[in-house]
Amino acid sequence: MPDTTIEKSSASATEALQAQRDLQLFYLFSTTLLSTMQLNKLLHLILSALVCEDNGLFCRAMLFLYNQKTDMLQGMLGICRSNTDGFRVVFSDPDNPLSGYWDLDADAIARQMQSDLCLKVRETRIDLSEGCRIVSHVVENKRLYRINDVECLNCRDCDFISRFGISSFVAVPLVTRNNLIGVIIVDNPVKHQPITDQQLKVLQLFANQAGMAIENTRLYRNLEETHNELQDTRQRLVHGAHLAAIGEMAASISHELKTPLITIGGFAARLGRMLPENTPQRHYLDTIISESHRLERLLGDILAFSRKPTICFQECNLRGVVKECLDDYVVLLGERKITLETSVPSGSWTVLGDSNQLKQVCINLLVNAQEAMPQGGRLQVGLRAGGDGGRPCAVVSITDSGGGIPEELQSKIFTPFFTTKRHGTGLGLAIVNRIVQNHGGSLKVFNTDDGAEFQVILPLAPFDDPQTA
Ligand SMILES: Nc1ncnc2c1ncn2[C@@H]1O[C@H](COP(=O)(O)OP(=O)(O)OP(=O)(O)O)[C@@H](O)[C@H]1O
Ligand SMILES: [Mg+2]
């Protein structure tokens, strides 16, 4: 056989071998990209595949992701050949050679992150308006650039080039649907081996697939986040529906129990009037009467709490509401050795709402204040103008000298059924809170020097100015 024929056939055999090798690489690369959904791991696998000894492509690879808002490339990852231990081919089916893909365990990923190159890359940001000219070209034209010698391009003063000791290199953009995701930069800094055309082809194909895979993992992550949010919302809705069902059930049971209870209390009171005082029978009846009153109150509270918020919006004078409550209460306070100090200036203090519900707010707070001072004390009730988020408001304050609320309980006291009292239902403040919120207001609580202060803040009716009335 003539020499030229031998040369030709050995060249085509080498080409065939090379083509087979490249095909194998692409196959492994695409199965790897398909089997990885975590963005971070995917980036490590892409760069490791470009620099590992077995593939013999490049010695060093760096990845920069594009930030559209700042128009900058942010360094994400840098891997050199000496840092690819742990990068290996695994087979999902040991009997099937086509089931192989590249993998890296968590330790190997952590080691890569800690390498000097990676730390340096992660500190690097390339400002595209004034940074490396070559990288800016890659971004602008969205195509691969091979630079054989940066010296001849006057790149010596470029921060980026000198920082990484770059001489010859290739920069390839990662693009999906014409959007730039980032740039991969590869080179052979130690051996200074030239980058061949064949390597460029492989790199370009890798970059095309990598861009799509990165985009896919991002989309997948967004989808997962949206899915989790949807699931949370669904759970909250189901929980809300359950609560509503429980509330309705509690309301109907309370309603059914209330009627016979009133009858029991009423007849017990009648019987009581027929019996002489200070007899055991009268004492038994008094106990029945007081306990049935307690149960009536409890059922009333449960009804008030579980009832759908229906407010009859009418103009009501808050000063009148506060005064009425105090009038009902002043005798009891005297009996309990509680001195009352009021500061309720005249004026119209008109709020839009339901005066019965607002009365319930004041009464619940007054009862709590009185219960906090079993040995007596000082109760201050005030009404003043205030502002809440720019809206003119009325502030009703009820301050006692009962020692205040321990800090660890402050976040719990508005929770339905939370109570520290032997006979409390724990619904008083929950009802107050709900009524105030339904009126567009807010409730605040503070500890003072010797007690607690509750502030009910309600928006004043439009055009109502208490100072002028
Ligand atoms: N003025 C106050 N001083 C100290 N602690 C208070 C005061 N007001 C409320 N608390 C605390 O908040 C808890 C909850 O109050 P809430 O009015 O909701 O229920 P309750 O008073 O225990 O029972 P009830 O349903 O009969 O009102 C009380 O048990 C008490 O520990
Ligand atoms: Mg209470």
Side-chain angles (χ1 to χ4, degrees), residues 21 25 48-57 81 87 102 206:
R21 220 177 95 80
L25 269 188
S48 299
L50 289 172
V51 299
C52 75
E53 186 86 51
D54 282 354
N55 297 348
L57 290 167
R81 188 164 288 179
F87 179 72
W102 282 310
F206 267 34

Side-chain angles (χ1 to χ4, degrees), residues 9-136:
S9 64
S10 86
S12 55
T14 320
E15 270 172 29
L17 261 176
Q18 183 64 48
Q20 190 192 358
R21 220 177 95 80
D22 290 349
L23 206 66
Q24 226 169 353
L25 269 188
F26 294 140
Y27 186 77
L28 266 176
F29 196 63
S30 58
T31 48
T32 304
L33 298 186
L34 282 174
S35 62
T36 314
M37 274 301 158
Q38 298 151 273
L39 181 60
N40 186 40
K41 186 172 177 182
L42 186 77
L43 301 181
H44 282 264
L45 287 169
I46 292 169
L47 292 208
S48 299
L50 289 172
V51 299
C52 75
E53 186 86 51
D54 282 354
N55 297 348
L57 290 167
F58 310 100
C59 292
R60 186 166 74 159
M62 299 176 246
L63 171 78
F64 296 83
L65 289 184
Y66 178 56
N67 184 331
Q68 205 175 4
K69 272 191 213 144
T70 55
D71 198 30
M72 281 198 188
L73 287 173
Q74 161 71 55
M76 294 303 292
L77 189 59
I79 301 179
C80 50
R81 188 164 288 179
S82 60
N83 228 290
T84 49
D85 49 322
F87 179 72
R88 65 200 193 287
V89 181
V90 289
F91 293 90
S92 52
D93 174 1
D95 298 329
N96 177 6
L98 293 179
S99 68
Y101 59 92
W102 282 310
D103 200 9
L104 261 179
D105 59 32
D107 286 347
I109 290 179
R111 278 196 301 278
Q112 290 186 339
M113 290 297 287
Q114 288 311 315
S115 72
D116 289 345
L117 173 66
C118 191
L119 295 173
K120 215 164 161 186
V121 170
R122 290 180 71 83
E123 281 169 7
T124 308
R125 279 175 186 70
I126 305 172
D127 186 340
L128 292 174
S129 53
E130 49 190 46
C132 174
R133 276 186 307 129
I134 303 163
V135 175
S136 299

Side-chain angles (χ1 to χ4, degrees), residues 301 364-365 367-372 400 402-406 409 412-415 418-421 423-430 451-452 454:
D301 279 353
N364 285 8
L365 294 177
V367 171
N368 277 352
Q370 171 248 307
E371 286 173 348
D400 60 62
I405 302 163
L409 299 187
K412 300 183 182 155
I413 58 173
F414 298 106
T415 310
F418 173 80
T419 182
T420 54
K421 298 171 193 169
H423 289 300
T425 62
L427 281 173
L429 287 179
F454 282 83

Side-chain angles (χ1 to χ4, degrees), residues 111-240:
R111 278 196 301 278
Q112 290 186 339
M113 290 297 287
Q114 288 311 315
S115 72
D116 289 345
L117 173 66
C118 191
L119 295 173
K120 215 164 161 186
V121 170
R122 290 180 71 83
E123 281 169 7
T124 308
R125 279 175 186 70
I126 305 172
D127 186 340
L128 292 174
S129 53
E130 49 190 46
C132 174
R133 276 186 307 129
I134 303 163
V135 175
S136 299
H137 270 308
V138 176
V139 169
E140 203 174 315
N141 303 323
K142 296 199 188 84
R143 72 169 193 80
L144 177 148
Y145 274 81
R146 169 170 54 180
I147 311 300
N148 283 329
D149 185 5
V150 295
E151 298 280 315
C152 63
L153 290 171
N154 281 333
C155 284
R156 264 163 303 177
D157 297 334
C158 168
D159 251 9
F160 170 68
I161 299 287
S162 57
R163 189 180 170 89
F164 290 98
I166 290 171
S167 52
S168 301
F169 73 105
V170 179
V172 60
L174 297 171
V175 182
T176 50
R177 285 176 281 132
N178 218 25
N179 291 327
L180 182 85
I181 297 179
V183 174
I184 289 180
I185 290 171
V186 290
D187 69 350
N188 297 320
V190 184
K191 294 183 183 165
H192 296 293
Q193 283 162 342
I195 293 167
T196 62
D197 289 351
Q198 185 60 27
Q199 286 172 329
L200 284 192
K201 263 194 232 161
V202 176
L203 180 63
Q204 182 66 72
L205 282 166
F206 267 34
N208 291 350
Q209 288 203 43
M212 276 191 294
I214 293 172
E215 180 73 355
N216 281 348
T217 54
R218 280 176 169 175
L219 289 174
Y220 182 75
R221 199 174 52 191
N222 284 351
L223 202 71
E224 224 174 12
E225 279 169 9
T226 318
H227 179 257
N228 288 344
E229 268 172 35
L230 261 174
Q231 209 147 10
D232 280 355
T233 316
R234 187 178 161 272
Q235 264 168 5
R236 273 203 299 275
L237 275 174
V238 170
H239 185 62

